[in-house]
Amino acid sequence: MEIIVTDERDERFIDFCSSFGCFIDEPQVVLLLESFGKIVGCSSFKVYDADSCEIMTLFLNSYDDREKIAYKLIRQLEKIAMDYEFKKVRVTFDSREDILVEIFEKLDYRFIDDVCMEKEFKIFV
């Protein structure tokens, strides 16, 4: 599997998101996970404020490796966010029953309100 770093204008991202009924047109950093020439997952984030970014998409095309693919995409997004010197990353769900909440909890995200989770990066100087 290969991770491709791109942006919201990438046709592969647009097609993959639209297959989930979603259209994204805001500027974002986008990751596509390609396996054997086919996109099997994508994730993206945008600037939230001066210190943080927000994960906007996490779409997975596989039920078998869902957790493994999600971890891989989220961890890579976090690395890029740290490279951009963000101090934290957040993600918002429709409800706490979202199937991805457990994955984010395992990655040390904590609820800061009813539907928003956040992770602060531990940066050593």
Side-chain angles (χ1 to χ4, degrees):
M1 283 193 247
E2 176 188 4
I3 290 183
I4 301 162
V5 180
T6 186
D7 64 25
E8 77 286 349
R9 297 169 295 184
D10 191 305
E11 287 296 324
R12 296 167 295 184
F13 176 67
I14 293 168
D15 292 345
F16 196 73
C17 286
S18 67
S19 74
F20 289 91
C22 183
F23 176 76
I24 307 292
D25 61 353
E26 300 172 286
Q28 297 185 40
V29 172
V30 172
L31 299 181
L32 300 171
L33 187 61
E34 185 178 62
S35 180
F36 300 106
K38 182 179 177 185
I39 303 300
V40 296
C42 76
S43 61
S44 68
F45 73 77
K46 69 175 188 172
V47 174
Y48 182 77
D49 60 29
D51 292 328
S52 54
C53 62
E54 181 175 20
I55 295 175
M56 297 303 296
T57 60
L58 180 60
F59 295 127
L60 310 169
N61 210 14
S62 170
Y63 288 99
D64 298 332
D65 295 330
R66 175 175 294 278
E67 202 165 293
K68 178 182 168 187
I69 292 170
Y71 287 149
K72 187 175 190 91
L73 289 168
I74 295 165
R75 292 268 190 214
Q76 189 64 39
L77 275 182
E78 290 173 353
K79 286 178 186 174
I80 293 170
M82 285 187 271
D83 287 346
Y84 281 115
E85 299 183 1
F86 288 113
K87 293 177 177 62
K88 46 188 161 173
V89 63
R90 59 188 316 148
V91 60
T92 303
F93 300 98
D94 291 332
S95 76
R96 283 190 180 225
E97 285 75 43
D98 190 293
I99 60 173
L100 294 172
V101 166
E102 186 178 322
I103 289 171
F104 280 94
E105 286 176 330
K106 288 180 181 177
L107 292 170
D108 298 324
Y109 285 74
R110 301 289 173 243
F111 277 101
I112 57 172
D113 65 25
D114 285 344
V115 293
C116 184
M117 297 181 90
E118 188 174 87
K119 178 178 183 176
E120 197 163 332
F121 296 127
K122 296 170 178 59
I123 301 171
F124 303 101
V125 180

